[in-house]
Amino acid sequence: MDPLSLTTLLAAAALAGWVDAVVGGGGLLLLPALLVAAPGVPVATALGTNKLAAIFGTSTAAVTYARRTKIDWAVAGPSAGLAVCCAGVGAALAGAVPAGAYRPVVLAVLVSVALFVVFRPRLGVVAVPARRTRLRVLAAVAVAGVGIALYDGLIGPGTGTFLVVAFTALVGADFVHGSAMAKVVNAGTNLGALVVFAATGHVWWLLGAAMAVCNVAGAALGARMALRRGAGFVRVVLLVVVLALVAKLGYDQWSAGRA
């Protein structure tokens, strides 16, 4: 890999760490950067190398949040435990499902998320403790630890965003605390997927380690900014990331339709 491509990739890793720490969706930056910097790399290898970098970033963000704010461990803990196993299952299936089969579904979900956040301006700005019923806690654990974790192992980009929205909508967390829980669960999904990708030889260890250093730096900065600036700042970043994901997937779908 030439020096310019490597520098660009490391910069993308740092920015992805920042985005992931604030609201998730860093894979939107890092996966395309990997595929461009290393043309012809197998998708599974790109996913595995991304997971190596991301697990350090999400873990750093999770620790930063845990030190500075209260995490609802009754929700985040079981979700993270399930996520390790379910993301591993998703990673084992990665590549078996053609992009055309999942892209329209993910695109529709992201558009729904964007509309939901836009037309519910108070969502996540302040916590709504009344929503945290036993049934909703169980639903949040199932959605985050099983559904979203499987998606992360299979595909990846947008996982943190889905987790934040799930925790705010289902158990009434504000965006800052929802993001804190999302980092804990995302660390679990990254671990489960990484184990599978590593076992099947789909990780570039040296490149992933270099990216991890930059990802950690970005993640530490992002988590501190989210905690300092509050839920309103996280909401804005959430909308930007969701719209970017929609644009990326929409372009991919349009390109596939023309091919």
Side-chain angles (χ1 to χ4, degrees):
M1 187 177 295
D2 62 89
L4 179 60
S5 295
L6 180 59
T7 301
T8 302
L9 195 54
L10 295 179
L15 184 56
W18 186 91
V19 172
D20 260 338
V22 177
V23 76
L28 172 70
L29 300 168
L30 201 47
L31 273 176
L34 266 168
L35 294 171
V36 169
V41 61
V43 174
T45 303
L47 287 168
T49 306
N50 175 58
K51 292 302 178 191
L52 175 59
I55 190 171
F56 287 96
T58 51
S59 298
T60 298
V63 170
T64 301
Y65 277 114
R67 286 176 174 174
R68 301 191 177 200
T69 191
K70 184 178 181 180
I71 293 178
D72 188 343
W73 289 105
V75 177
S79 297
L82 281 171
V84 174
C85 299
C86 292
V89 172
L93 298 174
V97 181
Y102 65 75
R103 193 184 295 122
V105 176
V106 177
L107 186 58
V109 172
L110 282 168
V111 170
S112 300
V113 167
L115 292 173
F116 188 64
V117 174
V118 168
F119 290 106
R120 296 280 302 273
R122 301 303 299 169
L123 176 72
V125 176
V126 293
V128 186
R131 286 186 187 168
R132 196 188 179 286
T133 64
R134 179 176 176 80
L135 184 59
R136 281 176 171 268
V137 167
L138 292 174
V141 170
V143 169
V146 179
I148 297 176
L150 278 169
Y151 167 82
D152 192 30
L154 269 171
I155 307 165
T159 294
T161 305
F162 291 141
L163 288 169
V164 172
V165 172
F167 291 137
T168 54
L170 290 174
V171 294
D174 62 41
F175 278 133
V176 171
H177 290 86
S179 191
M181 289 191 285
K183 293 315 110 192
V184 174
V185 179
N186 210 173
T189 65
N190 286 333
L191 175 61
L194 177 61
V195 168
V196 173
F197 285 128
T200 53
H202 286 296
V203 179
W204 286 344
W205 293 101
L206 288 178
L207 177 60
M211 289 163 52
V213 174
C214 298
N215 199 258
V216 165
L221 178 61
R224 287 182 173 86
M225 286 183 69
L227 287 163
R228 185 171 65 251
R229 298 195 177 189
F233 170 72
V234 177
R235 182 178 186 273
V236 172
V237 177
L238 172 65
L239 278 172
V240 171
V241 169
V242 168
L243 291 174
L245 281 165
V246 168
K248 172 67 168 59
L249 287 173
Y251 177 78
D252 289 348
Q253 184 67 20
W254 177 75
S255 299
R258 294 188 63 191

